[in-house]
Amino acid sequence: MTSTSRHGFHPAGVSDVGSPRARLAAFVTRWSLRPFTNVLPTTRRGIRFSRRIVATSMNLLGPVPKGTSIDLVVDGPVRGEWVRAAGVTSGPRVLLYIHGSAYVICSARTHRGLTARLSSSTGLPVFTVDYRLAPEHPFPAAADDIESAYRLLLEQGYSARNIVIAGDSAGGHLAADLIIENDRTGTPQPGALVLFSPLIDLDFELSAQTERTRKDPMISAASARALVALYTDGNASDLPRLRLDLALVRDLPPTLIQVGGAEMLRGDARHLHSMIEKAGGSCELEIWPDQMHVFQALPRLVPEAAHALERASKFVENSLDTADVQHDSKEQVS
């Protein structure tokens, strides 16, 4: 549950301010990383350099726990990997993870630490989609790859109600796009959505507004927009699969959104939360005070990372259990 405070949707049981380590991390990042990310060119050489830097940082600050098993998958258009924490075995439930970083920088490999900890906390195997990246593969390559991965899980026998879609940053946009496409094509929706710092507004107008009150420690809205533009590739910003609208989507899955109070995408998180509720869906929004973008991936840097994943895991368990009860009730009636 969340409560309303001066921070907005504040997670119950969480301090009104971030831990000293979290606040120090945001301060140091703002004066070290942000100036660098704001001048790094979006040339192919600049992108390659960014990919190396991010991969190294993710491994240092959120390493893969010992005992994690990784199985690479190439099945037609679907590329990715199964991530299972120590002791986790296959079962009827699964988590499909969509990584972020502006459609340009990260991969299934960079997110192994985060997906392994999600596997450990939920007890579920995680399939991370290694979707095609821009600028090599612009829109709609990434969105098409996510749709193919979801359908592959359905073809492999997983019931939609037992699939959880999770993702961060640009992965949030891709997850929302999948929900809209499922509705359009009559494909059953997943049992739940869990989104960390979701990007929704690809024009970054919401981010620019948020920046006026507090600058993001990692990057400016203008610089982030330049990266995403490598994916949108000159397409009109009001294209339906770029400017997403959930208003007419039926059967929206229950959704949890976690976002950092220090990041510019908290405006996107509020916007997505509002869209889902106006469409009649159920959505919990947690704004974690003083946290940076996708802080859940940085357990060595901020102690709140583990707490946030615990809350996400409880949400997943409750949502899937509820879906099972509702399914059983419908079968008894029929």
Side-chain angles (χ1 to χ4, degrees):
M1 296 295 290
T2 57
S3 60
T4 302
S5 72
R6 61 188 178 89
H7 295 285
F9 295 81
H10 179 255
V14 175
S15 173
D16 285 342
V17 296
S19 65
R21 281 170 55 190
R23 284 179 281 143
L24 177 61
F27 177 81
V28 172
T29 300
R30 178 177 177 181
W31 293 105
S32 59
L33 182 62
R34 181 183 166 99
F36 176 76
T37 57
N38 286 343
V39 298
L40 196 66
T42 55
T43 60
R44 291 188 183 273
R45 172 182 263 182
I47 294 301
R48 286 197 298 270
F49 184 69
S50 296
R51 288 172 179 171
R52 288 196 295 269
I53 290 295
V54 172
T56 300
S57 300
M58 293 281 280
N59 186 54
L60 287 174
L61 300 175
V64 180
K66 291 182 179 180
T68 301
S69 66
I70 308 292
D71 295 300
L72 302 182
V73 173
V74 178
D75 192 328
V78 180
R79 297 174 184 270
E81 56 186 42
W82 282 104
V83 179
R84 296 178 179 87
V88 172
T89 58
S90 297
R93 294 175 172 181
V94 65
L95 194 151
L96 177 65
Y97 197 86
I98 312 172
H99 72 77
S101 279
Y103 309 90
V104 172
I105 294 174
C106 284
S107 66
R109 185 183 182 89
T110 62
H111 279 61
R112 281 179 184 172
L114 176 56
T115 54
R117 287 189 296 279
L118 268 174
S119 176
S120 177
S121 61
T122 60
L124 301 178
V126 177
F127 183 72
T128 311
V129 189
D130 215 4
Y131 59 82
R132 290 168 291 171
L133 298 177
E136 296 89 345
H137 304 283
F139 171 82
D144 288 347
D145 289 352
I146 299 305
E147 190 173 0
S148 295
Y150 182 69
R151 277 145 186 71
L152 177 63
L153 290 180
L154 294 176
E155 291 167 5
Q156 290 179 344
Y158 288 101
S159 171
R161 75 177 188 279
N162 284 330
I163 300 175
V164 177
I165 305 293
D168 66 271
S169 196
H173 190 278
L174 291 169
D177 173 75
L178 174 63
I179 296 304
I180 294 171
E181 286 300 294
N182 284 346
D183 183 73
R184 183 183 66 82
T185 59
T187 304
Q189 299 287 13
L193 278 180
V194 175
L195 304 177
F196 305 137
S197 304
L199 168 65
I200 297 299
D201 173 21
L202 301 190
D203 289 328
F204 285 84
E205 293 175 354
L206 292 172
S207 293
Q209 293 172 11
T210 304
E211 272 195 319
R212 293 176 191 143
T213 59
R214 186 174 187 176
K215 290 184 178 180
D216 191 295
M218 292 187 176
I219 194 171
S220 69
S223 296
R225 184 188 305 116
L227 281 173
V228 171
L230 297 174
Y231 176 66
T232 56
D233 194 36
N235 285 281
S237 62
D238 60 353
L239 202 66
R241 295 193 73 181
L242 295 178
R243 183 169 294 171
L244 305 180
D245 186 359
L246 296 166
L248 300 179
V249 175
R250 299 152 293 182
D251 194 26
L252 282 164
T255 302
L256 171 67
I257 301 172
Q258 293 181 342
V259 68
E263 64 171 305
M264 61 185 173
L265 289 186
R266 61 189 186 276
D268 288 57
R270 288 179 180 273
H271 176 61
L272 179 58
H273 173 257
S274 177
M275 272 203 298
I276 292 173
E277 289 207 327
K278 286 180 179 178
S282 170
C283 183
E284 296 182 23
L285 171 60
E286 297 181 352
I287 301 179
W288 288 67
D290 298 317
Q291 298 303 317
M292 295 189 294
H293 186 59
V294 197
F295 66 96
Q296 297 87 346
L298 310 172
R300 281 185 172 175
L301 197 61
V302 294
E304 289 89 343
H307 188 185
L309 288 187
E310 288 174 7
R311 293 178 65 91
S313 298
K314 289 179 181 177
F315 176 84
V316 167
E317 182 179 8
N318 291 338
S319 297
L320 295 185
D321 286 349
T322 299
D324 280 345
V325 170
Q326 292 174 343
H327 177 264
D328 292 343
S329 297
K330 289 180 181 178
E331 283 197 334
Q332 291 176 4
V333 170
S334 61

